[in-house]
Every structure is written in structure tokens, then in C-alpha cells.
């Protein structure tokens, strides 16, 4: 007899109990096929946190079977591997059919923690590869693995990453690199584009099947609504609004917010040329391939809303009334974004309770950051440690950790005076306020230069830096003296670092 689900001890790979709910949909939604796998695979990294979600004992990482399974060389018992079809808008333009061109769903499983799908990214071509090689390079696999887990550490909704398996197989990008496979984990990888696919083909029956699957599996409460499909859209709009608030508050830029990269569950999905804001610039473009700056930091909420309208268009045949579809987006996206953003910013700024004028203060703060361009993460972290009141004689010394980030010290002093005046309106003991601020303002984010160091070492077969970064980034708000250097500004060599869609 199986042990009860709760508290079930982590087990062996062979004990994963797949239920494969997505594969139970009709065959139009995917192509069943086994991954191609990697020759002579080796383990690059694995996450004990994600193993725990799945019920895999971390001792399993060292078994050759772990590498074989998560390289895609051998299917675990019960797996029903497939690549899913979807379409989408890329950079604002309808791109037609896309699909899992280099991702294989191994299957889904259900345990006490919920429903989890395991997907291998980079394990070979599929019918949706459109002439590309079906591979992912080690470089982009490390970025996806680390950022998935870093976002989870920050408390931001995201797909997770169990492992990276590498191989010496050459892969051609701008130069020759080597192949890797990331095992990604999420309740579902269904995208806005999964719905656009059926709607663009006038296939209402499939559209309904997909929406019913999402509702019944993940959002059963929508079934109770007068219009379940409008309720689903409202739920997606709400969650996407909250997701944008999280991204904006932590300075995360996704880089490729195409509708095929937008999760129907409101998760951060498809890590490519993402970035974390360093010297603050709301117009920053983190993706070198985004020549027109569609996906700048400041545009992200607008783009998310535009993408939601594309989802609304796609769901319209099910929802029925255009006004209902539009209302589902408009009444949920903006309010959810604003409420969550205000809450996160109040915590970042140490406000005990929100006041009517805070929106203006927050706007002024972003204007101030834009003008003086301090490092976004370091600014809020240093602010967290300043006292609410300060003796004017000692102000320069007390505030030095923050002031020293500015060339224009007077501008910094003026902003700090406004901040302190605002703090005084909702008094709070320094200890309590600072604890909240330190928990809202991470010390460690996955700066591009950190990922780059880990990548360069890994390309020389030293994977230790990935492990260290993973350990650090799972507790991004804790002081971790052994990782102090990971909070530093980018070194000079990193100035010219560029990330693009090449992955
Ligand atoms: P992305 O820009 O990574 O979101 O990818 C957009 C589309 O291109 C998706 O359908 C991917 O599966 C596909 N794709 C990207 N890179 C590759 C590749 N190397 N091989 C096959 N398909 C790919
Ligand atoms: Mg994608």
C-alpha cells in the first residue's frame, strides 16, 4: 500500500506517479514523441527544492538514471512524452503556429503539493521546430535554471527548474557551444498562444476543450461563475497584473513578452534574455534582439495588458460578448497590478500603511531614480537600513551608504528628507520597519554578470559556481556573508555583456 500523500517520504525516480492529465486531451493538442536526448550526458546542476516538490530524494541526483531521464535518453515509467502545439504574437505581430520546438513534456504528476508537469527543454527536434535544431545551449540553460529558482526565492510566481544535464554535443549559435537540457517544472506550461492557436483556426470545439481543461484542472472555482470562460480570463488578468507588479517592484525584465511566452497560470515563463535592473533606467532594453524597445522595463505592464487583449480575442467565441471579454481584462488587470504594486512598494519603502499621496510619492521616487541612476537593488537595500529620524549634524554620515551612490548628494538628501517626512506620517519603530524592508528588498538578484561567471566556469566543466549561486539566491533577502561579493555592482569586464534571443 502507498504511504499517505502528506508527508510521503521523497522517493526514487521510478516511484514518480504520473497521471498525464494534459496527454489525456485529444491528439490535436500535441504530438506524442520521445525526446531525442543527449549523448554521454552529465549532471550540471540540480535543485533539492524542486526535487522536494516532486517527491524525488536528492540522493537520486547521483544515479546515472537521473542524468539519463532528465537528458531525455530514457523515459521514466509512466511517462507519456509529447510536444504541445501553440501559436502566438511575437513582437506585436501574428506569428502563426509555433509550438514546443525544443520542449518535450515528460508527463504530469499529482502529489500533496499539487499538480506538476515535467518538461525537458533542449532534448531534440519536434514537429514544431520549424527548421531549428531542437537544442538549447548550456549558457541559456544555466540562465533559465538559475533565474527560475531565483524568482521562486523572491516569492515571484514562476516555472521551476529541477536540473540541467549537459553533453559535449556541439550546437551552433553565433559560435559553437555545447548542448544542455533543462528539466522544467510547473503545474502547466499552457500559454496565451495555446488558445490563440485554436481561435485563429476557428476551431471552437478545441478552444473549449482547452479552456475546460484549464478550468477543471487548475481553476475549478471559475466553473461556478455565470460565464466560466469570462471568469477564467478575469483570473488570468488578475494573476498577470500581480505578476507584473512583482516584476516591476524587483526590477525584473523578461525581455521577450510574446503571447507564446505568457503563462495561462500567471507564472514567469520562458527565461531567455531577461535581466535585473542595475543602474536604474525605466527605458532599459534587456534583450539585444529587441531593436524597437517593445519590451523595455517601463512597457511591461502595458505589454501584458496588450497580450491579455489577445487572449480575450482568442476566448471571445466562448465568452460570447465582447464587452464581457474586455471587462474581464479591464476590471481585473489594472486593479490587481495597482493594488499589488502599491503593497510591494509600501513594503520596499517601509510605509506601515498606505496613504492617498503614496502613488505620487512612488512616482516621484521612480523619477528620482531615473535622473540619478543608482543601482536599483543596492538603493533599496541600503535604504532599508537607514533610521527614520536622524540628527542633522550626523545625517551625512548616517546616510552615507545610500548617499554615496549619488554624484548629486543634495538631490539624495532632498529625497531622503521627503521619505522621512512620509515615514513620520505612519510612525513605526525602526526595528519593525527595517525587518519588513529587508524582507522586501533583496540583497541578491541574478545579475547578468553573476550568471556569466557561472556560465564561463561551466563551459570549462566547473559547475561549482552554479551551485553556489543557487544556494545564495534561494534566500535573496538574507545577509549571507559568504556570498557578499554576489551583491556587488558589475565589474568592468561585464560592461559590454549583451543577452539576446540566441539560446
Ligand atoms: P522563444 O523565443 O524561445 O520563446 O521561442 C519561440 C519559438 O521558437 C518556440 O516555438 C520555440 O519552441 C521555438 N524555438 C526556439 N529555439 C528553438 C530551437 N533551437 N529549436 C527548435 N525550436 C526552437
Ligand atoms: Mg518561448
Amino acid at each position: 500500500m502507498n504511504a499517505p500523500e502528506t508527508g510521503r517520504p521523497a522517493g526514487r525516480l521510478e516511484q514518480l506517479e504520473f497521471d498525464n492529465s494534459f496527454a489525456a486531451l485529444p491528439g490535436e493538442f500535441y504530438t506524442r514523441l520521445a525526446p531525442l536526448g543527449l549523448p554521454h550526458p552529465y549532471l550540471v546542476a540540480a535543485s533539492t527544492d524542486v526535487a522536494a516538490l516532486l517527491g524525488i530524494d536528492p540522493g537520486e541526483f547521483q544515479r546515472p538514471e537521473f542524468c539519463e531521464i532528465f537528458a531525455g535518453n530514457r523515459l521514466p515509467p509512466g511517462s507519456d512524452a509529447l510536444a504541445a502545439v501553440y501559436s502566438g504574437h511575437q513582437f506585436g505581430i501574428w506569428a502563426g503556429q509555433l509550438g514546443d520546438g525544443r520542449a518535450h513534456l515528460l508527463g504530469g504528476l499529482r502529489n500533496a503539493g499539487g499538480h506538476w508537469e515535467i518538461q525537458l527543454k533542449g532534448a531534440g527536434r519536434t514537429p514544431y521546430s520549424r527548421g531549428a535544431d531542437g537544442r538549447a545551449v548550456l549558457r541559456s540553460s544555466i540562465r533559465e535554471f538559475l533565474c527560475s529558482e531565483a524568482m521562486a526565492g523572491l516569492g515571484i510566481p514562476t516555472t521551476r527548474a529541477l536540473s540541467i544535464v549537459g553533453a559535449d554535443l556541439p550546437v551552433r549559435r553565433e559560435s559553437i557551444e555545447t548542448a544542455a537540457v533543462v528539466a522544467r517544472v510547473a503545474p502547466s506550461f499552457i500559454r496565451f498562444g495555446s488558445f490563440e492557436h485554436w481561435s485563429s483556426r476557428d476551431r471552437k470545439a478545441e478552444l473549449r476543450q482547452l479552456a475546460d481543461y484549464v478550468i477543471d484542472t487548475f481553476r475549478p472555482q471559475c466553473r461556478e461563475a455565470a460565464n466560466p470562460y469570462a471568469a477564467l480570463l478575469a483570473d488570468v488578468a488578475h494573476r498577470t497584473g500581480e505578476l507584473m507588479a512583482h516584476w516591476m517592484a524587483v526590477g525584473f525584465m523578461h525581455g521577450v513578452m510574446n503571447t507564446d511566452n505568457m503563462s495561462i497560470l500567471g507564472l514567469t515563463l520562458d527565461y531567455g534574455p531577461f535581466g535585473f535592473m542595475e543602474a536604474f533606467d525605466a527605458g532599459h532594453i534587456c534583450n539585444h534582439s529587441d531593436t524597437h524597445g517593445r519590451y523595455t522595463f517601463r512597457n511591461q505592464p502595458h505589454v501584458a495588458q496588450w497580450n491579455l487583449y489577445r487572449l480575450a480575442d482568442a476566448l471571445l467565441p466562448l465568452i460570447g460578448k465582447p464587452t464581457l471579454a474586455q471587462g474581464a481584462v479591464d476590471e481585473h488587470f489594472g486593479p490587481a497590478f495597482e493594488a499589488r504594486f502599491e503593497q510591494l512598494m509600501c513594503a520596499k519603502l517601509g510605509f506601515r500603511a498606505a496613504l492617498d499621496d503614496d502613488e505620487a510619492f512612488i512616482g516621484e521616487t521612480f523619477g528620482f531614480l531615473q535622473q540619478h541612476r543608482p543601482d536599483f537593488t543596492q538603493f533599496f537595500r541600503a535604504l532599508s537600513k537607514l533610521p527614520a529620524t536622524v540628527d542633522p549634524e550626523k545625517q551625512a554620515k548616517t546616510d552615507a551608504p545610500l548617499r554615496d551612490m549619488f554624484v548629486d548628494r543634495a538631490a539624495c538628501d532632498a529625497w531622503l528628507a521627503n521619505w522621512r517626512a512620509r515615514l513620520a506620517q505612519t510612525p513605526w519603530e525602526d526595528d519593525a520597519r527595517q525587518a519588513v524592508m529587508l524582507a522586501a528588498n533583496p540583497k541578491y538578484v541574478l545579475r547578468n554578470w553573476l550568471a556569466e561567471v557561472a556560465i564561463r566556469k561551466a563551459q570549462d566543466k566547473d559547475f561549482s559556481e552554479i551551485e553556489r549561486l543557487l544556494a545564495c539566491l534561494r534566500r535573496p533577502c538574507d545577509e549571507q556573508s559568504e556570498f557578499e561579493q554576489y551583491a556587488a555592482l558589475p565589474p568592468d569586464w561585464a560592461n559590454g555583456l549583451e543577452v539576446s534571443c540566441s539560446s
Side-chain angles (χ1 to χ4, degrees), residues 392-424:
E393 303 266 287
K394 299 194 184 130
Q395 187 261 336
K397 188 154 184 269
T398 306
D399 292 345
L402 191 90
R403 276 182 111 230
D404 289 352
M405 294 177 190
F406 291 77
V407 178
D408 186 345
R409 305 279 158 91
C412 179
D413 291 341
W415 183 84
L416 278 170
N418 289 340
W419 174 66
R420 290 201 163 101
R422 168 60 190 84
L423 285 183

Side-chain angles (χ1 to χ4, degrees), residues 245-285:
H246 278 289
W247 287 6
M248 301 306 280
V250 80
F252 176 78
M253 295 161 281
H254 181 283
V256 205
M257 290 177 67
N258 295 334
T259 58
D260 55 302
N261 291 339
M262 298 289 293
S263 153
I264 203 70
L265 302 182
L267 308 171
T268 312
L269 169 65
D270 275 9
Y271 291 91
F274 64 81
F276 282 86
M277 184 64 79
E278 294 188 306
F280 187 79
D281 174 12
H284 184 69
I285 303 169

Side-chain angles (χ1 to χ4, degrees), residues 182-222:
V182 178
R184 305 197 289 192
V185 172
S188 174
F189 292 93
I190 294 177
R191 300 135 195 276
F192 290 12
S194 311
F195 291 89
E196 291 177 280
H197 182 74
W198 296 112
S199 151
S200 68
R201 293 167 181 229
D202 276 330
R203 298 274 293 270
K204 193 170 167 183
E206 286 81 2
L207 186 66
R208 186 186 299 275
Q209 276 175 313
L210 190 63
D212 285 342
Y213 169 74
V214 172
I215 291 173
D216 294 338
T217 315
F218 305 104
R219 306 288 178 244
Q221 68 282 10
C222 293

Side-chain angles (χ1 to χ4, degrees), residues 139-204:
R139 162 178 56 84
S140 66
S141 302
I142 291 171
R143 285 173 52 85
E144 170 139 21
F145 175 85
L146 285 176
C147 201
S148 305
E149 294 311 286
M151 293 292 265
L154 290 163
I156 301 177
T158 179
T159 62
R160 304 294 301 264
L162 172 67
S163 58
I164 310 174
V165 177
D168 292 341
L169 181 73
V171 175
R172 181 180 292 276
R173 294 294 181 260
E174 281 80 6
S175 60
I176 303 289
E177 303 185 45
T178 60
V181 170
V182 178
R184 305 197 289 192
V185 172
S188 174
F189 292 93
I190 294 177
R191 300 135 195 276
F192 290 12
S194 311
F195 291 89
E196 291 177 280
H197 182 74
W198 296 112
S199 151
S200 68
R201 293 167 181 229
D202 276 330
R203 298 274 293 270
K204 193 170 167 183

Side-chain angles (χ1 to χ4, degrees), residues 86 90 98-99 101-102 129-130 132-135 173 261 270:
Y86 53 81
Q90 298 188 313
L98 302 164
R102 52 169 168 176
S129 300
R130 299 177 297 141
D133 59 10
R135 293 300 181 185
R173 294 294 181 260
N261 291 339
D270 275 9

